[in-house]
Amino acid sequence: MTLHTPLIQTDLLTKVYGGRKKALDGLSLTIERGEIFGYLGPNGAGKTTTIRLLLDLIRPTRGSARVFGLPVITESKAIRARVGYLPAELNLWQRYTAQQVIDYAARARGLRDLSFANQLAARLEFDLSKKIKNYSTGNKRKLGLILALMHKPDLLILDEPSSGLDPLMQQTFNQLMVEARANGQTVFLSSHVLSEVQTICDRVGILRDGQLKAVERVDRLTHADFKWVTVQARAPISAEALSSVAGASLVTIDGTTARMRLSGDFDPLLRAISPYYVQDVRVQEPTLEEIFLTFYGGDPRDNAAVSDATAAKAGE
């Protein structure tokens, strides 16, 4: 792989189940070396199908994929040797201890030094001595993370990795991902935990109904062209005063308080409220979740319940 070869590249990758249902529809995606890429979408969007195709666990109906510059279908063995994979559903031998499972995985990979695996267990506060059947869902995810990370692979493919982790372990996971990137590793992270993606990812892809709707840097995506605005006046605000404000939507008025989603310039709003004695104006940037829902729902008004809740929070 040359310096300019993408680490992951798909070209019109498509998977059709049963001759009718398109789980993935024409995915063309490029992921560069050394980035944390967040792959976002609700359940059934096609995220897990994409991962299985990249690992040659299933075969595409059409299109192609390359990892490390290698074609997935013919070079899957070489690719998997350089990948750490955490599936969404982790099935392990229930009668064995975590230590036995780690020892087996190490032998299979030719890994003799388990010091890093032990460090991971300590950081994740994970007891290696118990049998798999006795672990909670969160602890099984911890074991899955250790198995994926312990050989320091070039590429981490993680499907819903933080599912079941408590908030403190979520922070530890985030730090592990940042450290992996600093070490030159690449992370492909499938998730519906949008706060996780917003915290650690460099870029994000948004998948809906098997189709890639957007790919953007997180820092750019979060600079969306809308804000939540709360206006607090001394006297009640009339709905008529705000009805024609350009760029205003999802307007709610509760006596002397008006809340809205505002796109574009502030001047039309300032002119509309100029007759009122304004005590306070609060402006809140949208979260990545709200931006994602805008992509997912198409019309921002489809997401009024979420948006109203956030607007109300802006006024707290």
Side-chain angles (χ1 to χ4, degrees):
M1 184 177 66
T2 67
L3 290 176
H4 299 291
T5 301
L7 195 131
I8 295 175
Q9 187 165 27
T10 68
D11 183 23
L12 299 175
L13 196 62
T14 301
K15 180 63 179 178
V16 180
Y17 289 109
R20 291 178 298 174
K21 178 176 173 55
K22 282 188 177 181
L24 198 65
D25 186 5
L27 177 69
S28 294
L29 179 64
T30 298
I31 298 173
E32 302 296 340
R33 180 180 180 182
E35 71 172 326
I36 302 177
F37 187 90
Y39 200 45
L40 282 175
N43 292 334
K47 304 189 303 295
T48 297
T49 295
T50 302
I51 287 173
R52 290 174 176 168
L53 288 167
L54 291 176
L55 294 171
D56 196 37
L57 300 176
I58 56 174
R59 293 286 172 89
T61 306
R62 292 184 296 278
S64 62
R66 302 176 76 88
V67 179
F68 305 118
L70 304 173
V72 165
I73 291 178
T74 60
E75 300 293 338
S76 61
K77 184 177 180 180
I79 290 169
R80 289 179 195 169
R82 300 171 61 187
V83 170
Y85 171 47
L86 175 62
E89 299 293 333
L90 187 62
N91 296 312
L92 298 169
W93 304 283
Q94 299 296 306
R95 295 184 297 109
Y96 291 92
T97 67
Q99 186 65 65
Q100 288 173 319
V101 172
I102 288 173
D103 290 343
Y104 175 82
R107 289 194 300 272
R109 290 191 174 277
L111 183 66
R112 296 182 179 181
D113 184 1
L114 292 180
S115 60
F116 186 55
N118 292 329
Q119 290 174 27
L120 290 169
R123 292 181 65 178
L124 291 168
E125 298 179 6
F126 180 70
D127 183 356
L128 296 170
S129 65
K130 294 182 180 180
K131 290 185 177 180
I132 303 301
K133 64 181 180 181
N134 295 325
Y135 287 122
S136 65
T137 299
N139 276 320
K140 287 178 181 177
R141 295 311 278 173
K142 291 180 184 181
L143 176 56
L145 285 171
I146 294 170
L147 293 170
L149 290 165
M150 69 181 199
H151 57 298
K152 299 181 180 180
D154 295 323
L155 172 62
L156 288 163
I157 297 181
L158 310 176
D159 198 352
E160 302 288 350
S162 64
S163 176
L165 297 182
D166 63 44
L168 287 177
M169 287 301 103
Q170 174 75 61
Q171 292 180 20
T172 300
F173 167 76
N174 290 349
Q175 186 59 38
L176 288 171
M177 295 302 99
V178 171
E179 291 171 8
R181 177 178 58 193
N183 291 333
Q185 295 167 272
T186 304
V187 182
F188 182 85
L189 184 144
S190 165
S191 180
H192 66 271
V193 183
L194 299 159
S195 59
E196 171 182 83
V197 170
Q198 189 169 5
T199 300
I200 65 173
C201 290
D202 301 296
R203 290 194 302 150
V204 60
I206 297 174
L207 198 67
R208 177 191 180 191
D209 296 331
Q211 295 183 336
L212 190 65
K213 295 298 182 181
V215 177
E216 188 56 272
R217 290 192 58 84
V218 170
D219 55 3
R220 293 178 185 171
L221 193 60
T222 52
H223 285 86
D225 187 29
F226 72 89
K227 296 176 176 63
W228 295 109
V229 180
T230 301
V231 177
Q232 180 70 50
R234 180 176 290 175
I237 301 173
S238 70
E240 183 180 357
L242 301 178
S243 62
S244 60
V245 174
S249 61
L250 301 174
V251 179
T252 62
I253 299 175
D254 182 11
T256 59
T257 302
R259 303 182 182 97
M260 70 201 73
R261 184 185 191 272
L262 185 65
S263 301
D265 296 334
F266 275 81
D267 190 66
L269 173 61
L270 296 177
R271 291 178 184 274
I273 62 176
S274 62
Y276 294 89
Y277 187 99
V278 177
Q279 295 176 314
D280 189 24
V281 176
R282 300 181 188 180
V283 180
Q284 184 182 44
E285 297 287 341
T287 66
L288 186 57
E289 180 168 6
E290 290 155 349
I291 297 166
F292 166 71
L293 287 173
T294 300
F295 278 106
Y296 182 66
D299 184 350
R301 292 182 181 273
D302 293 339
N303 307 305
V306 173
S307 300
D308 286 348
T310 304
K313 184 178 179 182
E316 291 177 355

